[in-house]
């Protein structure tokens, strides 16, 4: 099976068209062929079993496999044990590590034994709250090896965001470190965990990696990572999992309510991430691939860990930030490790483009072959800067549109195969059928029009449910347009069928590439004693893509001196600094509909600098408020 590993590699535009046609006309045949690139202990009873309206989605049911085996052992059996699997570059320059597939197997097997000796069994949830150290990837793969469900929480989240996620999935274990390095800062990760665990009864074991030599003493019953490793053997046979057994949970914030724990499957997720990684990035056997995301986001799960390793690739992990020790760090790393594919976010590109080109031009970037972006729409200026200064006008740029929920890249060009177009994600991936709806919910075929994006048929890596709340999963994603998946984004389609993503249609705001729900942040602001009500909207921002603008009504206007910093502190503490608004405007009231709903459409316009031109506001409960807010903006 493994011998034909390059057979799924698409080389020409015509081949893309043929394969695409096949993938929508006969999805089952198409995906079963791609599934044959993986190693299964037992074949499926049925390729797919789908009722989209009920959000009932199963792929390769009855088939057996293990994710960690497919990411590691399989390549070793194929003779690639000495190939480099992971290159890790530390926050501090001159600190790096290389792991071959053989070494990765040893590390992952040993840590799988640590999980087992701490009573972790198939199906148990393990929370991973670690900086971007190699042990993070090892922990993820070790969970997969024993069949435990990993829930990675980005190590920039606050203690209350962490405890909410631990409790939602009833995690039995948390893996963390004594601290982390981020640029010239040291973050005391362990005390955030201590704070979170005060509210978590479900956690039985805490295992702590020594990352910063902090010298802290652990609490009773907590264990050091290396002490645990010293006690175990270094071989652990991979657990046999069903294709539909959950591989992981990853939380995403929504516009309302608590974060949604998206549950991803084992088989379908792997089939899709393996196939899309290979073709989107045109990955060849000896390439060095680098995605700058954090493994705490879906991009890191699918395109640092699973997609690359399933292809036997060399994947890079970076612990630091693009600005440390200076704004040339990314390019220094590209030169040092001779990176061939480089995948980052528009927000990083915009931030780096603000600085002198010397930071780029000092380095030899001739190894680069393919560039990618993900996370938010990329503006033309940033696209041009990336193309000219990083790609030297010779590297295709893949602008990849997808979501935590979709598991893998959905709309993109294929490097060296299909044409890119600045600001357009361009064409659907194999098996993905995008459609556009007008504001009345009618699907339309015309081109050169904006619409609301829908997806017509399930693909193997779509999330299967929201952990513990299938009803909510159905409501959020499958009820807006029955029979379609509703991603919540708007899109424009040009005359050649290229898609440009225009942003969120609901109240989720993407700040610096992080998908933030406004409602939970408003909830926090409203917790301030002197706040009556607040509304948060996004507005375009040069660097962050979008920034947050908060409109806040105070109870007592005489007590407003410290209000901005108090609100910011509250938000940092309960959600994280990323959710702090760029601007806070104190207002006498908020525009409301007669049923009492805040009219965010109007606030969005004010945040963008609009002075009049609000359309018909006579239907508002309080039309006079609009002028007052504009005056104070
Ligand atoms: C992978 C990821 C998902 C939301 C999505 C979009 C926005 C992502 C692009 C994009 C325009 C892109 N997962 N988005 N990629 N918008 N062009 N190439 O980001 O769950 O965190 O966010 O991000 O709005 O719905 S996510």
């Amino acid at each position: 099976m493994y011998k034909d590993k390059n057979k799924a590699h698409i080389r020409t535009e015509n081949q893309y068209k043929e394969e695409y046609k096949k993938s929508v006309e006969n999805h089952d045949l198409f995906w079963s062929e791609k599934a044959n690139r993986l190693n299964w202990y037992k074949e499926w009873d049925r390729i797919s079993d789908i009722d989209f309206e009920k959000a009932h989605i199963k792929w390769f049911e009855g088939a057996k496999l293990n994710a960690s085996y497919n990411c590691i052992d399989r390549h070793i059996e194929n003779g690639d044990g000495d190939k480099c699997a992971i290159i890790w570059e530390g926050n501090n320059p001159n600190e790096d590590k290389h792991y071959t597939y053989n070494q990765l197997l040893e590390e992952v097997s040993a840590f799988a034994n640590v999980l087992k000796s701490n009573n972790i069994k198939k199906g148990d949830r393990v929370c991973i709250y670690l900086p971007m150290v190699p042990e993070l990837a090892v922990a993820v793969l070790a969970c997969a090896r024993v069949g435990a469900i990993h829930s990675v929480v980005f190590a920039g989240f606050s203690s209350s965001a962490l405890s909410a996620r631990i409790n939602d999935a009833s995690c039995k274990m948390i893996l963390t470190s004594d601290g982390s390095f981020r640029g010239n800062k040291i973050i005391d990760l362990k005390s955030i965990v201590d704070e979170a665990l005060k509210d978590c009864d479900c956690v039985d074991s805490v295992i702590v990696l020594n990352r910063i030599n902090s010298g802290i003493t652990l609490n009773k019953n907590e264990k050091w990572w290396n002490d645990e490793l010293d006690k175990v053997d270094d071989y652990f046979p991979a657990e046999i999992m069903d294709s539909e057994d959950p591989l992981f949970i990853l939380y995403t914030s929504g516009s309302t309510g608590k974060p949604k724990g998206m549950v991803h499957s084992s088989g379908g997720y792997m089939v899709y991430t393996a196939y899309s990684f290979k073709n989107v990035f045109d990955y060849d056997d000896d390439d060095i691939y680098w995605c700058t995301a954090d493994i705490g986001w879906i991009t890191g799960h699918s395109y640092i860990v699973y997609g690359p390793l399933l292809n036997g690739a060399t994947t890079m992990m970076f612990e630091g930030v693009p600005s440390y020790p200076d704004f040339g760090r990314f390019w220094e790393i590209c030169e040092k490790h001779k990176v061939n594919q480089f995948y980052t976010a528009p927000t990083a590109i915009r931030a780096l483009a603000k600085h002198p080109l010397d930071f780029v031009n000092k380095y030899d970037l001739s190894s680069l072959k393919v560039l990618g972006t993900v996370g938010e729409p990329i503006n033309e200026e940033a696209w041009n800067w990336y193309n000219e200064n990083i790609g030297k006008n010779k590297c295709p740029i893949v602008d990849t549109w997808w979501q935590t929920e979709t598991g893998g890249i959905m709309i993109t060009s294929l490097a060296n195969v299909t044409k890119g177009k600045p600001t357009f994600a361009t064409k659907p991936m194999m098996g993905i059928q995008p459609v556009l709806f007008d504001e009345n919910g009618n699907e339309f075929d015309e081109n050169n029009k904006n619409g609301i994006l829908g997806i017509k048929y399930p693909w193997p890596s779509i999330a299967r449910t929201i952990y513990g709340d299938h009803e909510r999963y159905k409501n959020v994603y499958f009820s807006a347009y029955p029979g379609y998946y509703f991603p919540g984004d708007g899109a424009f389609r040009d005359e050649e069928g290229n898609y440009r993503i225009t942003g969120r249609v609901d109240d989720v705001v993407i700040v610096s590439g992080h998908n933030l729900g406004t409602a939970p942040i408003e909830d926090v602001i409203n917790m301030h004693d002197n706040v009556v009500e607040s509304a948060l909207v996004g507005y375009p921002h040069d660097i962050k893509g979008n920034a947050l603008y908060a409109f806040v009504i105070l109870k007592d206007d005489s007590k407003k001196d410290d209000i901005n910093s108090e609100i910011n502190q509250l938000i940092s503490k309960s959600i994280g600094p990323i959710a702090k608004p760029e601007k806070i405007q104190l207002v006498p009231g908020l525009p409301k509909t007669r049923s009492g709903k805040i009219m965010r459409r109007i606030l969005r316009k004010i945040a963008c600098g609009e002075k009049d031109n609000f359309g018909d506001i006579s239907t508002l409960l309080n039309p006079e408020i609009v002028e007052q807010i504009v005056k104070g903006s």
Side-chain angles (χ1 to χ4, degrees), residues 252 297-299 343 346 373-378 399-405 411 425 487-489 501-504 510 513-515:
T252 181
W297 309 117
I298 190 70
T299 305
Y343 188 32
T373 71
V374 58
E376 52 190 326
I378 181 163
D399 174 352
T400 63
W401 174 81
W402 58 295
Q403 306 178 298
T404 306
E405 295 85 337
I411 302 183
D489 281 325
I501 308 301
T502 51
R504 303 292 298 165
I510 315 252
H514 303 317
N515 201 339

Side-chain angles (χ1 to χ4, degrees), residues 587-592 606 620 622-630:
V587 293
L590 294 167
K592 300 229 171 138
I606 298 175
L620 290 182
N622 47 353
E624 72 290 346
I625 202 77
V626 176
E627 207 184 312
Q628 294 179 41
I629 299 178
V630 170

Side-chain angles (χ1 to χ4, degrees), residues 98-204:
H98 289 67
Y99 293 80
T100 64
Y101 277 91
N102 282 326
Q103 289 165 331
L104 189 60
L105 178 61
E106 264 177 47
E107 302 279 339
V108 169
S109 269
F111 203 72
N113 276 313
V114 169
L115 295 175
K116 186 181 164 194
S117 65
N118 282 278
N119 291 321
I120 294 298
K121 290 183 286 292
K122 193 171 178 168
D124 288 341
R125 277 79 56 212
V126 174
C127 176
I128 307 179
Y129 186 71
L130 278 170
M132 281 286 283
V133 288
E135 288 82 356
L136 168 53
V138 168
V140 160
L141 292 163
C143 285
R145 200 163 186 90
V146 309
I149 301 168
H150 55 79
S151 167
V152 183
V153 176
F154 173 58
F157 273 124
S158 67
S159 59
S160 56
L162 176 61
S163 61
R165 286 159 176 75
I166 291 174
N167 285 328
D168 184 74
S170 305
C171 293
K172 274 177 71 175
M173 174 187 267
I174 177 162
L175 305 174
T176 189
S177 66
D178 60 343
S180 67
F181 297 111
R182 233 180 137 65
N184 53 20
K185 289 201 273 271
I186 289 182
I187 294 153
D188 185 1
L189 225 49
K190 181 59 172 41
S191 60
I192 300 174
V193 171
D194 289 347
E195 188 62 32
L197 290 182
K198 287 183 189 162
D199 300 326
C200 302
D201 292 335
C202 48
V203 175
D204 298 333

